Amino acid sequence: MAPSAAQRIVIENCAIATVDANDTEYASGYLVVADNTIESVGAGNAPEGLENVVRRIDGTGHLATPGLVNTHHHFYQWITRGLATDHNLFNWLVALYPTWSRIDEPMVSAAARGSLAMMARGGVTTAMDHHYVYPKGSGDLSGAIIRAASETGVRFTLARGSMDRSEKDGGLPPDFAVETLEGALAATEETVKKHHDASFGAMTQVAVAPCSPFSISTELLRQGAELARRLGVRMHTHGSETVEEEKFCHELFGMGPTDYFESTGWLGEDVWMAHCVHMNDSDIAAFARTKTGVAHCPSSNARLAAGIARVPDMLAAGVPVGLGVDGTASNESGELHTELRNALLINRLGAHREAALNARQALRLGTHGGAQVLGRATEIGSLEPGKLADLVLWNLDTLAHSSIADPVTALVFGAAAPVTLSLVNGRPVVEHGRLLHIDEDALARTTRAEARRLARIAAEG
Ligand SMILES: [Zn+2]
């Protein structure tokens, strides 16, 4: 298609936080989207004489930002929310594994659509799912998750997870909940070959993602890293989440989690890790040196009493940090825009107090930081010409926000702002707070029915 034939969407009269390298903002500006990319952004009105403008949007009272990027989630947990609500991580996992090991394809499909819908409605334009429970005979779970993301209309990374260290090998999951080493590696390779798209602007990518040190063998970590690097895809896992995990690593491997990951090939610029709460100075230095990314999940860390990740220290050291919802069995809201606020507030309870994070840094974590840890910072995460048109128009002309002095402060410190419009790849996904490709009421009924079916099957044992 010749450039002149591009279809354009023009957004004007809104505040804009570009989240570019200089944190450029416009009190009143414009954005021009041409097909799936951002053509121009600036102060004042859009240039005159643009051709093929199919839509012109008056953004008065709104703030435009890059779309939010979620870097850690477990979609299947959407149908096991509200359980084990007063537990730490290990007790919570042991309580839930027997139920999780009974999931099947219709359950996972409904849970994925519920998780995705909730995030998309709140301004997420790039989602990820770390899925690591693959019971025998449960169907094509990875395919169901990828189809759900495609139906919702968001950009997506499937982190194909796995577990092969069960109770009999000193791990936490029950024996019936895990795969074999060979089976997990073969299925992961097949998923990458079938679904991963390495091209610029890809809507679907796949990462290699063994679950956590206490549910995977050392061999799965080692061979998983080799597989990912042979296939040229990213690597993801959980790390340094709780004091119990740290103790587990010292007892089994004779070293802390970060040293263990380094010894198995799991630090590097192609790796991002969820949580990273219990990190000492040398752990943070190792992440910074290797450019290993972090998915910071403040609400889940609070829900499971895991602790406060040292995000200000990580940022000062140069560690790439994004935000994660984490699975909704440990963060029932399932929203990412509220994580901007929670990241800011929770980090102010740590050592740096009021200097820990500001509103702009929180917005950066949820956008550009997420794009960095997913390896997509040249494509998404800021509003700049040539980047993909993944953006959100937040309505701040509401009772909750209209008297807050500054739009970025209103977005981060204020109540969750409604999404008037979100675009993914230049295509509308949310309009006036409603999802365009999903029937929310029907989905609410489906997810409730699947949650009840799972509870019934789990109760039968
Ligand atoms: Zn997780």
Side-chain angles (χ1 to χ4, degrees):
M1 187 185 287
S4 62
Q7 299 214 318
R8 291 188 171 81
I9 298 173
V10 175
I11 304 171
E12 293 177 296
N13 306 320
C14 52
I16 300 174
T18 65
V19 198
D20 67 8
N22 302 315
D23 267 332
T24 307
E25 294 182 11
Y26 303 104
S28 179
Y30 71 88
L31 280 151
V32 179
V33 170
D35 293 332
N36 72 336
T37 57
I38 297 167
E39 186 173 66
S40 60
V41 52
N45 294 327
E48 304 268 327
L50 292 169
E51 292 179 2
N52 294 325
V53 175
V54 293
R55 198 168 167 193
R56 195 172 280 274
I57 296 158
D58 178 6
T60 303
H62 287 71
L63 169 67
T65 71
L68 301 183
V69 178
N70 190 39
T71 62
H72 188 64
H73 207 308
H74 312 288
F75 290 172
Y76 74 93
Q77 294 179 10
W78 189 257
I79 55 171
T80 63
R81 293 187 294 162
L83 306 174
T85 51
D86 309 303
H87 293 50
N88 70 22
L89 175 71
F90 277 15
N91 296 335
W92 172 84
L93 287 168
V94 168
L96 289 169
Y97 281 137
T99 300
W100 290 344
S101 66
R102 307 306 298 271
I103 56 174
D104 62 24
E105 191 177 320
M107 290 174 193
V108 168
S109 174
R113 285 183 288 136
S115 298
L116 286 155
M118 198 65 202
M119 284 188 296
R121 211 179 61 172
V124 168
T125 53
T126 296
M128 74 79 74
D129 183 19
H130 184 190
H131 188 84
Y132 54 86
V133 184
Y134 288 90
K136 279 195 191 71
S138 54
D140 178 17
L141 304 189
S142 296
I145 293 162
I146 287 167
R147 279 193 297 279
S150 163
E151 281 169 31
T152 311
V154 298
R155 208 176 292 286
F156 183 58
T157 295
L158 175 69
R160 204 292 180 184
S162 47
M163 303 193 292
D164 73 334
R165 183 193 289 277
S166 64
E167 284 169 329
K168 72 173 167 43
D169 301 314
L172 211 60
D175 298 341
F176 53 80
V178 303
E179 296 174 276
T180 61
L181 169 68
E182 298 73 22
L185 289 166
T188 302
E189 178 161 2
E190 189 191 322
T191 306
V192 171
K193 286 185 169 160
K194 191 165 174 192
H195 296 290
H196 181 71
D197 177 359
S199 65
F200 185 92
M203 290 299 288
T204 306
Q205 296 202 330
V206 180
V208 174
C211 186
S212 53
F214 49 82
S215 60
I216 53 183
S217 66
T218 305
E219 248 343 271
L220 183 50
L221 270 178
R222 275 212 190 93
Q223 294 188 34
E226 285 167 15
L227 175 68
R229 286 172 178 143
R230 174 161 62 80
L231 299 174
V233 298
R234 295 181 75 74
M235 299 154 57
H236 179 59
T237 189
H238 293 95
S240 305
E241 184 171 357
T242 63
V243 287
E244 290 82 8
E245 178 195 327
E246 204 175 9
K247 186 164 171 275
F248 179 96
C249 288
H250 277 287
E251 281 174 9
L252 254 79
F253 315 122
M255 59 185 108
T258 299
D259 291 336
Y260 179 54
F261 284 125
E262 185 150 39
S263 75
T264 50
W266 274 79
L267 295 188
E269 61 186 359
D270 52 356
V271 181
W272 85 106
M273 222 169 281
H275 305 302
C276 303
V277 173
H278 296 276
M279 302 265 281
N280 61 30
D281 289 349
S282 87
D283 296 333
I284 290 176
F287 271 57
R289 190 179 65 244
T290 56
K291 295 287 172 225
T292 305
V294 169
H296 175 46
C297 306
S299 294
S300 172
N301 294 157
R303 159 78 151 81
L304 295 172
I308 303 170
R310 296 170 57 189
V311 172
D313 296 325
M314 294 176 191
L315 295 177
V319 177
V321 183
L323 291 181
V325 166
D326 203 1
T328 48
S330 65
N331 179 5
E332 272 77 359
S333 83
E335 298 177 324
L336 191 63
H337 56 333
T338 52
E339 294 300 291
L340 302 179
R341 183 169 184 263
N342 292 347
L344 184 149
L345 295 179
I346 284 176
N347 280 281
R348 287 189 179 189
L349 296 173
H352 297 269
R353 301 186 55 188
E354 71 274 16
L357 282 180
N358 62 38
R360 266 110 191 136
Q361 287 173 306
L363 177 60
R364 178 170 288 276
L365 291 180
T367 53
H368 186 266
Q372 265 185 305
V373 308
L374 295 184
R376 308 201 66 174
T378 60
E379 300 166 273
I380 57 170
S382 59
L383 301 178
E384 297 180 78
K387 281 204 165 177
L388 298 164
D390 290 11
L391 61 89
V392 179
L393 201 53
W394 307 92
N395 185 3
L396 301 179
D397 190 17
T398 69
L399 173 63
H401 306 92
S402 65
S403 59
I404 301 178
D406 161 70
V408 176
T409 301
L411 179 70
V412 175
F413 281 81
V419 172
T420 292
L421 177 72
S422 82
L423 299 180
V424 179
N425 235 18
R427 178 172 174 251
V429 169
V430 177
E431 296 242 15
H432 302 290
R434 299 289 292 183
L435 293 153
L436 293 179
H437 313 299
I438 300 286
D439 179 338
E440 287 182 36
D441 297 331
L443 181 53
R445 288 192 293 276
T446 306
T447 53
R448 180 174 54 214
E450 291 297 338
R452 288 181 176 170
R453 187 165 70 84
L454 176 56
R456 200 165 54 241
I457 292 170
E460 286 162 4

